[in-house]
Amino acid sequence: MRTFISKNIYRLYETLSFFTRLQGVTQGERGWHFKGVYFLLFIFLSFSTFAQEEENIGTEVINIVKPYTPTISDAFKVKETPVLNDSVNTPKKKVQYQIFSVPVASTFTPAKGKAATVEKVKPVKLYDNYATLGFGNYTTILGELYSNFQISRTDNAGFFFRHNSSQGEIDGVRLENKYYNTQLDGNYTSRQRDVSYRLDAGVKHQLFNWYGLNETYDTANDEFINGLDAQQTYFSGNVGGSITVDDSFFEKVSANIRFLSDAYGSSEFNIKAKPEFSFPLTSFTLKVDGDIDYLSGSFEKKYIDVGLGGINYSQLNAGVTPSLVYLNDDLTLSLGVTAMAGLDLENSDTDFYLYPQINASYRLVDEFLIVYGGADGGLTQNSYYDFKEENPYVSPTLFIAPTSQLYNGFGGVKGKVTNSIGYNLRASYGKEDNKALFKSNPDGQSNTSMTEGYGYGNSFQVVYDDVNTLSVFGELKVDVSETFSLGVNAEFLSYTTDAQQEAWNLPELKATLFSNFSITEKIYGGASLFYVGERQDNFVKAGIFGTNINRIETLDAYLDANVHLGYRVNERLAIFAKGSNLLSDNYERWLNYPVQGIQGLLGATYKFDW
């Protein structure tokens, strides 16, 4: 019995497995087959249970295998509109709209649109060259010629020629008083991708006369006056250049070589070189500037001849200036120091100097109020060239020495009152050792001076003294409109000397008033007014048996008014007129040196391209 049941159960199992492995049967058909199989299985199990009550047939394990049937669970979509937990919920009001259409009769016919025309402004034609020629009273001639040549996209060259001369003819002056001033400069510039360099060269020729005889010669006869040769000529030349490097710690280096000679055998040779370095740091920029200045020259004679020959000088100044520079939107700060070595090669003497280099400015109210201040100093290399540029009536018998400005402390405010009004107020106090001062030479001091045209008290020497200077400066600029601007500045100065009686030929007050205007597109002009306060000089008259006149002379203050007007005939040609010293004041710029009276000049400027 047990064997029978076991066999039948086994056959039933195989049948069930067969149905579960059916392929190609639809799902509905397969369901009916499974239902029948489950029914037969129930009958056999019931029969088997019944048979076990009669006989113990034992147990047997049967493993039924069914293929895995995967199912897909339902997806739950996240709500796009979040629920707002608001304590106040205002219900929306239902709004109903009603439109009442009313027909409107219109006879308006719009015109076709027309594009507005924009008036084109004719671009200003820029010319590479211009020539100026003018003539005035006192047989004055003014000539200028400037030309620029574009060699390539990055290179260009140019030159500038200028001549200004006058035959003098100053009222009351008995000596020849004409002057010539002629110069020619050339340059070559190249701007490459990372490097730019420039070469400069020039020559200058100047002619002046020592016509400033004192009143003791007013009664001298014409033969004596005509026999004086008071003419001096200067000839100078220079060669120099600079190299600028972009995106490099080495920023720039400039150098210049200059030579000067005169009609009395004087000569001077000057070499200058200034390298500049910059090292960007985290918050600051480290700048290092170098300065090398070599000067050598000689004069054939001394003003007072004591049999020791002429004057030779040779000096070398070398130094370095490291500084830390900080910049932000409102604050600009530079902290540095200059270390200089001054070598007197002629006398084998060496001195060392330290100077402050401090500058700071801060914007308190944007561009309207800026405060600034600092302290600086330096070693200035005086030269024969610089002295004759400031005062062409110096004698060729000068002692040349450098000036040490120990410090110059300054502070002030500047800015704008409005967008058209700017101002600058500054006060400073400084101390200079060995400051150069122009002083009149004594008259008739020795046989050497009396044999030269500059030896009659009509030339100037240079004396040195320690001078403290207090300065108060103010400036105001007003742009009234695009066609009219006005400016005024004034400076008050106070000097304290050590050895000299006065700060010779230095004024205590200087002021300037200037203006530029355009009356029409073709008519333009400008005006300026200069005021220079009183100055002091020393008049010394020596006789055969010693000095018999020694007094301090006070030079009167003077006011110099100047006006110029121009008319543009076309884009190339313009004519102009200039008037100088319009107050007709023959004031003395230097002791016994009156200037020309009212001066007029009429000329034209022509622009062109080659």
Side-chain angles (χ1 to χ4, degrees), residues 322-529:
S323 61
L324 288 174
V325 180
Y326 175 77
L327 300 173
N328 65 12
D329 294 338
D330 297 321
L331 177 64
T332 300
L333 179 64
S334 177
L335 302 174
V337 62
T338 297
M340 295 289 296
L343 289 75
D344 186 348
L345 303 179
E346 188 69 26
N347 299 311
S348 301
D349 187 20
T350 302
D351 294 315
F352 295 95
Y353 308 88
L354 288 177
Y355 304 102
Q357 300 294 339
I358 302 173
N359 286 276
S361 66
Y362 184 75
R363 297 183 182 181
L364 290 178
V365 186
D366 294 332
E367 298 291 337
F368 298 99
L369 180 60
I370 301 174
V371 296
Y372 64 93
D376 54 21
L379 187 63
T380 302
Q381 184 78 283
N382 296 313
S383 65
Y384 185 29
Y385 180 88
D386 294 332
F387 287 147
K388 67 92 179 176
E389 284 292 294
E390 184 176 357
N391 183 354
Y393 309 110
V394 293
S395 64
T397 59
L398 304 179
F399 290 94
I400 307 296
T403 296
S404 175
Q405 186 177 56
L406 299 180
Y407 61 86
N408 181 40
F410 60 92
V413 293
K414 62 181 179 180
K416 297 180 179 180
V417 178
T418 65
N419 289 331
S420 59
I421 302 177
Y423 66 92
N424 185 13
L425 299 174
R426 183 184 72 243
S428 65
Y429 182 80
K431 179 178 178 58
E432 294 174 277
D433 285 351
N434 223 33
K435 180 178 177 62
L437 303 171
F438 293 108
K439 182 181 178 182
S440 179
N441 273 320
D443 180 11
Q445 190 74 8
S446 69
N447 57 348
T448 299
S449 62
M450 291 296 290
T451 59
E452 304 292 352
Y454 55 81
Y456 298 87
N458 56 339
S459 63
F460 294 84
Q461 59 180 312
V462 175
V463 296
Y464 298 89
D465 196 8
D466 298 341
V467 180
N468 296 343
T469 304
L470 172 65
S471 170
V472 178
F473 173 83
E475 184 176 29
L476 184 67
K477 293 182 179 180
V478 181
D479 293 327
V480 180
S481 65
E482 294 182 356
T483 59
F484 181 73
S485 63
L486 181 68
V488 60
N489 62 65
E491 185 177 15
F492 170 78
L493 301 118
S494 177
Y495 308 99
T496 302
T497 59
D498 184 21
Q500 299 293 323
Q501 294 174 277
E502 300 285 345
W504 307 116
N505 286 290
L506 293 180
E508 294 186 349
L509 179 62
K510 296 186 294 184
T512 303
L513 176 67
F514 54 91
S515 174
N516 292 294
F517 54 85
S518 295
I519 301 176
T520 66
E521 291 184 357
K522 290 182 174 293
I523 302 176
Y524 61 93
S528 60
L529 189 65

Side-chain angles (χ1 to χ4, degrees), residues 543-565:
I544 299 177
F545 301 103
T547 301
N548 53 17
I549 300 177
N550 187 347
R551 67 173 182 261
I552 295 178
E553 295 279 357
T554 298
L555 283 73
D556 294 335
Y558 64 86
L559 196 63
D560 194 334
N562 306 274
V563 174
H564 70 272
L565 292 172

Side-chain angles (χ1 to χ4, degrees), residues 26 42 92 105 117 132 162 171 177 199 209 248 291 313 352 371 378 384 424 450 476-477 487 527 546 585 589:
T26 64
F42 173 79
K92 296 182 179 180
T117 58
T132 297
R162 189 176 193 274
D171 293 339
N177 50 87
L199 300 176
N209 284 274
S248 174
D291 188 0
Y313 56 95
F352 295 95
V371 296
Y384 185 29
N424 185 13
M450 291 296 290
L476 184 67
K477 293 182 179 180
D585 183 11
R589 174 64 182 88

Side-chain angles (χ1 to χ4, degrees), residues 73-274:
S73 301
D74 294 336
F76 296 94
K77 186 176 182 182
V78 179
K79 294 182 179 181
E80 295 181 356
T81 303
V83 178
L84 300 177
N85 296 323
D86 197 347
S87 60
V88 179
N89 292 322
T90 303
K92 296 182 179 180
K93 294 183 179 181
K94 185 177 180 180
V95 180
Q96 295 181 352
Y97 298 92
Q98 293 182 354
I99 300 175
F100 298 95
S101 298
V102 178
V104 178
S106 176
T107 59
F108 173 72
T109 302
K112 294 183 178 180
K114 183 179 180 181
T117 58
V118 179
E119 184 178 355
K120 296 182 179 180
V121 179
K122 185 178 180 181
V124 178
K125 171 65 175 177
L126 300 178
Y127 295 93
D128 292 333
N129 316 278
Y130 79 84
T132 297
L133 184 62
F135 300 93
N137 60 337
Y138 298 102
T139 320
T140 300
I141 300 176
L142 173 65
E144 293 181 358
L145 176 61
Y146 173 81
S147 185
N148 182 73
F149 304 94
Q150 192 72 28
I151 299 175
S152 66
R153 185 176 60 88
T154 59
D155 297 8
N156 67 284
F159 71 87
F160 176 71
F161 171 80
R162 189 176 193 274
H163 173 80
N164 186 21
S165 63
S166 176
Q167 296 304 312
E169 303 172 1
I170 301 174
D171 293 339
V173 175
R174 303 178 66 186
L175 281 177
E176 181 67 67
N177 50 87
K178 64 182 179 181
Y179 71 86
Y180 298 146
N181 193 344
T182 305
Q183 69 181 76
L184 175 63
D185 297 311
N187 65 81
Y188 181 88
T189 304
S190 179
R191 296 172 295 274
Q192 304 300 322
R193 181 176 181 181
D194 298 322
V195 179
S196 299
Y197 60 88
R198 178 184 176 93
L199 300 176
D200 299 283
V203 293
K204 180 186 290 187
H205 178 264
Q206 297 169 298
L207 184 149
F208 296 95
N209 284 274
W210 289 295
Y211 63 86
L213 294 176
N214 57 68
E215 70 273 11
T216 61
Y217 294 97
D218 291 345
T219 58
N221 57 50
D222 292 338
E223 183 179 359
F224 171 78
I225 296 297
N226 294 332
L228 296 179
D229 183 9
Q231 181 173 292
Q232 168 69 302
T233 58
Y234 302 102
F235 179 81
S236 62
N238 69 281
V239 176
S242 64
I243 299 176
T244 303
V245 182
D246 298 332
D247 300 327
S248 174
F249 67 90
F250 175 71
E251 284 191 338
K252 181 181 180 181
V253 61
S254 60
N256 185 69
I257 301 174
R258 187 184 65 241
F259 175 78
L260 171 67
S261 64
D262 66 11
Y264 288 83
S266 309
S267 63
E268 184 178 76
F269 187 72
N270 187 212
I271 300 177
K272 294 182 180 181
K274 293 184 177 182

